[in-house]
Amino acid sequence: MSEKINIFDTTLRDGEQVPGCKLNTTEKIELALAIEQLGVDIIEAGFPISSPGDFYSVQEIAKIITHASVCGLSRAVKKDIEVAADALKYAKKPRIHTGIGTSDYHIKGKFNSTREDILERAIQCVKWAKNFVDDVEFYAEDAGRTDNEYLARVVEAVIKAGATVINIPDTTGYCLPSQYGEKIAYLRNNVSNIDKAILSCHCHNDLGLATANSIEGVIHGARQIECTINGLGERAGNTSLEEVVMVIQQHKNLGFYTNIKTKQLNPISRLVSDTMRMPVQPNKAIVGANAFSHSSGIHQDGFLKSAITYEIINPKDVGADISKIVLTARSGRSALAFRLKNLGYECTRNDIDVLYEKFLQIADQKKEVGDDDLHEMAKQHLSIEA
Ligand code: KIV
Ligand code: ZN
């Protein structure tokens, strides 16, 4: 039987931290409703103490979301936690996400403190948050670069203090997939009360490994993935929601499933991109403009004979437009014949041979040969024939 992986969407918090992506409350509400419709389990709506505007957004989102848990971020500071609790007071399923840096870089460089002091502050913040909500998620910031033995002590202590979910962020996107997977396995094997909490992957993409790391995390025992639509987020971004969801769906032998309605992946990607004014790179997996286009002759020929030769996902399953056969100077005769047929021209093999020579001349001048060029070519050729 496959096991459920909870999807924790942080587009409205970690994603919104990107310069230029700031949203007003109306925009945040529109996205929160679409994200809930997508089927996520938890929506991280914002960081309530960070500004009055963000407090208000979290509060309004908490009022309208019915199925997903609504989460607010806080530091390990009493006032932060109280403000987050206040912003979440109307939520049907509120979650406070609190925590502190646990790597020596953070303990010494950021807090000028000691491991013992940070351990105590971690315990106290979870206990404080438990006064307001049952569901408390603890994050060990920079867990990716935290010594495993110390991390295990912190995790055990915060679970004892009442944390229900333990977030293991690779905050700087430093870990290799094997290292991140081993970290999760280490916690599963060395924290005595680990079965009382869910382990969560929160990976950043500085080395382009966020998706791979999150998948390694669930393979080694995590049951929640924190991610954003289009992989938006600090610096190189967070784990991309559409990527982890489709890895899980395509590799059923992993034994996992999510509740994401995959047909909504492309529409929500466009909505987030437009609302946050952040274009999606054309070669982005699942939601990029070129994710389902074929332009080289060898690929086009194989694809036209059988789509599965060059496509592992049916574009319909992720709400994308049908696959595109793009005509460039690298395209072959079968792609040209296919595009002409779609425009209503029934051509013989001989017609295609003649038209292909003309096509190559145009294609060498232009990046892409479009429908107008094809009409022009076909009409000229067919009138000569007639
Ligand atoms: O990347 C990170 O460590 C975070 C935490 C605040 C959860 O975003
Ligand atoms: Zn983050």
Side-chain angles (χ1 to χ4, degrees):
M1 243 219 353
S2 35
E3 280 191 62
K4 164 101 186 288
I5 301 298
N6 288 341
I7 297 296
F8 175 115
D9 181 276
T10 183
T11 308
L12 302 178
R13 199 278 297 170
D14 227 342
E16 205 232 13
Q17 288 174 207
V18 175
C21 284
K22 189 167 170 343
L23 302 169
N24 61 37
T25 301
T26 313
E27 291 168 328
K28 271 197 152 192
I29 289 175
E30 187 193 1
L31 290 188
L33 288 169
I35 290 167
E36 177 173 51
Q37 276 301 309
L38 180 67
V40 311
D41 302 281
I42 305 105
I43 298 175
E44 188 163 50
F47 185 7
I49 192 118
S50 66
S51 73
D54 216 36
F55 177 92
Y56 181 61
S57 296
V58 174
Q59 191 176 51
E60 294 308 297
I61 289 169
K63 285 181 191 163
I64 51 143
I65 293 299
T66 47
H67 299 300
S69 298
V70 179
C71 179
L73 185 76
S74 77
R75 292 166 298 181
V77 172
K78 276 189 170 181
K79 182 75 185 156
D80 274 36
I81 295 168
E82 286 158 17
V83 172
D86 196 21
L88 292 168
K89 70 177 175 232
Y90 301 112
K92 321 266 169 320
K93 295 189 221 164
R95 176 182 293 185
I96 293 179
H97 190 191
T98 187
I100 194 159
T102 52
S103 70
D104 289 335
Y105 296 102
H106 282 237
I107 295 175
K108 299 206 171 79
K110 196 161 102 178
F111 300 115
N112 189 21
S113 183
T114 61
R115 286 187 176 186
E116 291 315 308
D117 177 53
I118 295 298
L119 175 64
E120 192 47 38
R121 283 165 73 175
I123 296 168
Q124 291 315 321
C125 75
V126 171
K127 284 193 173 158
W128 192 243
K130 284 299 263 194
N131 290 321
F132 305 99
V133 293
D134 289 334
D135 193 7
V136 174
E137 173 167 340
F138 174 81
Y139 64 85
E141 197 179 358
D142 205 17
R145 293 187 300 171
T146 300
D147 165 51
N148 282 349
E149 222 176 291
Y150 174 64
L151 185 62
R153 279 180 63 207
V154 174
V155 169
E156 190 158 302
V158 295
I159 294 176
K160 200 161 160 231
T164 46
V165 180
I166 307 293
N167 180 7
I168 306 298
D170 183 20
T171 306
T172 58
Y174 173 75
C175 288
L176 291 171
S178 56
Q179 291 169 329
Y180 192 75
E182 277 160 23
K183 195 171 279 289
I184 299 291
Y186 184 90
L187 296 173
R188 287 214 52 86
N189 295 330
N190 292 280
V191 172
S192 65
N193 50 4
I194 199 71
D195 53 316
K196 297 202 167 56
I198 292 175
L199 280 172
S200 179
C201 310
H202 178 115
C203 298
H204 280 264
N205 207 27
D206 300 65
L207 292 173
L209 294 171
T211 296
N213 285 350
S214 302
I215 296 297
E216 274 302 298
V218 294
I219 288 172
H220 287 89
R223 289 294 173 267
Q224 176 176 288
I225 296 178
E226 307 195 4
C227 45
T228 60
I229 313 283
N230 299 336
L232 284 173
E234 289 272 358
R235 307 180 308 279
N238 286 57
T239 301
S240 151
L241 182 148
E242 56 278 6
E243 292 177 13
V244 284
V245 164
M246 290 314 292
V247 172
I248 288 171
Q249 167 140 325
Q250 292 302 112
H251 289 272
K252 295 224 163 42
N253 59 330
L254 291 175
F256 303 127
Y257 72 94
T258 71
N259 276 354
I260 298 300
K261 299 180 190 108
T262 63
K263 285 192 167 61
Q264 293 179 23
L265 287 173
N266 268 271
I268 201 164
S269 160
R270 282 194 292 275
L271 178 68
V272 167
S273 168
D274 292 347
T275 316
M276 289 193 156
R277 301 158 284 274
M278 184 56 79
V280 176
Q281 70 193 63
N283 59 328
K284 169 82 183 63
I286 323 293
V287 294
N290 293 347
F292 299 98
S293 25
H294 306 271
S295 65
S296 89
I298 298 171
H299 288 211
Q300 289 172 331
D301 185 50
F303 171 79
L304 289 170
K305 285 175 178 146
S306 167
I308 200 168
T309 318
Y310 284 100
E311 265 184 9
I312 59 160
I313 297 170
N314 183 333
K316 274 199 250 153
D317 292 345
V318 291
D321 295 338
I322 53 163
S323 309
K324 279 194 268 220
I325 294 290
V326 182
L327 293 178
T328 70
R330 305 288 157 264
S331 300
R333 284 175 172 71
S334 53
L336 178 63
F338 171 83
R339 284 281 300 271
L340 285 166
K341 193 167 178 214
N342 279 357
L343 293 176
Y345 300 104
E346 287 297 340
C347 299
T348 63
R349 221 188 170 107
N350 202 27
D351 290 330
I352 292 296
D353 283 341
V354 177
L355 284 167
Y356 188 65
E357 293 311 312
K358 179 73 194 152
F359 161 76
L360 283 181
Q361 284 166 21
I362 301 173
D364 265 339
Q365 312 295 321
K366 301 178 97 177
K367 284 194 174 132
E368 194 180 324
V369 177
D371 285 352
D372 287 352
D373 301 306
L374 295 177
H375 280 303
E376 183 74 25
M377 273 169 48
K379 277 183 191 146
Q380 267 184 20
H381 173 71
L382 296 176
S383 65
I384 290 164
E385 290 278 289

